[in-house]
Amino acid sequence: LDRELLSRFAAEFAGRGKVCDMGCGPGHVARYLRDAGTAVFGLDLSPRMLDHARKLNPDISFRQGNMLALDLPDAMLAGIAAFYCIVNLPQESLSVAFREMARVLQPSGLLLLSFHIGDETLHVDELWGQSVSMDFFLYQPSAIRQDLESAGLTVEEIIERAPYPEVEFQSRRAYIFARKPASRSA
């Protein structure tokens, strides 16, 4: 399903401009989108994650950035793929992140957002054999829809799925396609 949704997302952008893999991590989503024909770059807060992304994908541009204060011009992006980039954002930060995403999207620009479904905060002290102290936030699709619409985006579709057995954290997942409205003069 993930590949199908990313392919559908990528099909929107033939010659339409730049796409950002926001919260790109090691760059696997950026690589998939590039291979599907998009002009993509990755953006992540973590310099170490960006180092990994550059090593794994030397032919894709990656830059450091904070989704709460994007250093990108208004209406620069044709699309944003935001796969699980909000999992470490508390609810009170979501409206800021979504307003920033809406700001940098072109009129008719498309956001594909994915996240874990739930109402809880999960704290972990170990991840992949490393000591960490991280919180993971799970959200209800209806609440995320409301936040996206408050930021000025139009939700076109919400898709939910069960977790893939034995290969990922066992939570339900949500994918939201949301679009910035076309400018009135268009």
Side-chain angles (χ1 to χ4, degrees):
L1 179 65
D2 292 61
R3 288 188 297 269
E4 178 184 320
L5 295 175
L6 284 169
S7 293
R8 186 172 126 196
F9 174 79
E12 282 266 331
F13 302 109
R16 284 199 47 223
K18 289 213 175 275
V19 172
C20 178
D21 174 11
M22 196 164 292
C24 66
H28 56 291
V29 170
R31 182 176 54 245
Y32 189 90
L33 292 172
R34 188 268 331 265
D35 290 349
T38 64
V40 66
F41 70 93
L43 182 132
D44 202 282
L45 184 63
S46 168
R48 290 182 67 194
M49 196 57 76
L50 291 168
D51 288 342
H52 288 294
R54 290 180 184 116
K55 286 177 189 165
L56 293 169
N57 308 283
D59 56 340
I60 299 174
S61 174
F62 294 94
R63 60 175 81 168
Q64 187 172 8
N66 181 345
M67 76 178 89
L68 299 177
L70 292 168
D71 187 19
L72 299 171
D74 293 357
M76 174 189 172
L77 300 173
I80 297 171
F83 262 44
Y84 303 101
C85 77
I86 64 169
V87 297
N88 301 114
L89 285 183
Q91 194 282 325
E92 59 270 13
S93 297
L94 292 178
S95 61
V96 174
F98 295 154
R99 280 195 309 270
E100 278 293 278
M101 290 178 194
R103 180 185 66 78
V104 300
L105 278 172
Q106 299 167 358
S108 300
L110 185 64
L111 167 66
L112 173 55
L113 176 73
S114 66
F115 55 94
H116 298 268
I117 298 173
D119 294 307
E120 63 267 20
T121 300
L122 306 173
H123 181 81
V124 296
D125 293 313
E126 183 271 328
L127 194 61
W128 298 303
Q130 300 291 316
S131 292
V132 297
S133 179
M134 294 179 72
D135 289 327
F136 290 88
F137 300 94
L138 285 67
Y139 295 107
Q140 290 298 325
S142 58
I144 297 299
R145 174 186 205 122
Q146 186 174 28
D147 287 342
L148 289 168
E149 289 173 346
S150 292
L153 298 170
T154 301
V155 172
E156 295 182 341
E157 186 175 8
I158 299 174
I159 300 161
E160 295 185 25
R161 74 162 170 86
Y164 301 133
E166 301 177 21
V167 296
E168 64 184 358
F169 180 74
Q170 296 297 290
S171 68
R172 287 193 57 74
R173 311 299 170 104
Y175 304 83
I176 297 180
F177 284 91
R179 191 174 301 276
K180 184 173 182 175
S183 62
R184 296 200 191 282
S185 61

